[in-house]
Each structure stands twice: as structure tokens, then as C-alpha cells.
Amino acid sequence: MERTFAIIKPDAVERNVTGKVIEMIENAGFGIVGMKKIRLTRAQAEGFYYVHKERPFFNDLCTFMVRNPVIVMVLEKENAILAWRGLMGATNPANADAGTIRKELGVSIEENTVHGSDSPESAAYEIPYFFSALELV
Ligand code: CMP
């Protein structure tokens, strides 16, 4: 079993579609081993996305991520990192395959509804960024 980190982003919280996202996660066979709704501070958003800090979209991305609460989760499954990336679909919803979360629910490349770790190294940074071991059940 592998664990990965997921965020349901502010665009989904604002449109009341977090339940749809969670239903798709459960239907795909993931276990949800940690989940909470939080509002990121600017510093937390910038620290989370530090790998993108030189990218032109960094400032707008952080502004978006703090404008409303998010739901952060740890998901468990065999090959969870790849499986969650597959269920999310391409970063840009316009390029995402049918049946993926970003195709069904995404708004734009920025407001793309969900985040997922892109590698074991990312998951190892992202999971403890938001969760203590005691919160993972
Ligand atoms: P996420 O998987 O959370 O990782 C970085 C985020 O940056 C990405 O999803 C998008 O929401 C956002 N983003 C905005 N513009 C771009 C872009 N041009 N290329 C990649 N990611 C972008």
C-alpha cells in the first residue's frame, strides 16, 4: 500500500462539489486515512508550493489557494500516487480525459479542483506538511 497527498481546492469548496470529489475518490477504491478542512495562510500556501516559486503563475496560484478553505487528505491504495494522478486527470481540465475529476469538475488550469503529489518525494514532503502521524488512521 502507498500513501499520497490530496487537496480539494477552493474552487470546489465554493461550488459545493467536495462531496462529488470524495465520492469519485471512494468509488476508485482509495482509503481516506486523513481528512480535514482548513484555511491556508499565505505563508502556508507559499511553503507548500515552494517548488513553483520561480514560475510565472506562483503568485496567482497562492492567491487562489488562500481565498477560501480547502480540504486536505491522505489517500491510501496500491500505487496511490500514480492512481490519484490518473483519477485527477491532466493539470489543464481542457486536456483531461473523460471521467477524470478535472475534466468533470475543473474550471481552468489554475482552478483545477484538486492537487496530488507527483512523486514519492513530493508525498514525503506534503503529507507531514499538513498531518501528524496521529491524524492518519
Ligand atoms: P497543482 O497540481 O496543484 O500544482 C501546481 C498548480 O499550479 C497546478 O495544479 C495548477 O493549479 C497551477 N497552475 C496555474 N497555472 C499553471 C501552469 N501554466 N502550468 C502548471 N500549473 C499551473
Side-chain angles (χ1 to χ4, degrees), residues 67-82:
R67 87 177 179 207
N68 262 307
V70 297
I71 294 174
V72 289
M73 290 184 289
V74 177
L75 307 179
E76 191 171 71
K77 195 182 199 297
E78 266 182 40
N79 297 314
I81 293 171
L82 261 182

Side-chain angles (χ1 to χ4, degrees), residues 27-102:
N27 286 345
F30 290 91
I32 299 174
V33 296
M35 177 160 67
K36 56 192 173 186
K37 188 173 191 178
I38 59 173
R39 186 160 191 157
L40 293 174
T41 65
R42 182 94 199 172
Q44 287 166 344
E46 290 178 356
F48 178 73
Y49 278 124
Y50 80 99
V51 290
H52 297 303
K53 66 179 185 302
E54 306 301 338
R55 308 283 289 272
F57 57 80
F58 179 73
N59 196 46
D60 285 350
L61 173 63
C62 292
T63 300
F64 161 57
M65 291 298 289
V66 304
R67 87 177 179 207
N68 262 307
V70 297
I71 294 174
V72 289
M73 290 184 289
V74 177
L75 307 179
E76 191 171 71
K77 195 182 199 297
E78 266 182 40
N79 297 314
I81 293 171
L82 261 182
W84 174 230
R85 289 175 64 76
L87 181 60
M88 289 193 297
T91 304
N92 188 343
N95 301 328
D97 291 336
T100 62
I101 292 170
R102 286 168 170 162

Side-chain angles (χ1 to χ4, degrees), residues 94-127:
N95 301 328
D97 291 336
T100 62
I101 292 170
R102 286 168 170 162
K103 185 65 174 186
E104 302 303 318
L105 299 170
V107 176
S108 65
I109 192 165
E110 179 173 277
E111 300 196 14
N112 62 355
T113 307
V114 280
H115 166 84
S117 307
D118 63 6
S119 65
E121 294 71 29
S122 298
Y125 176 74
E126 293 174 358
I127 292 171

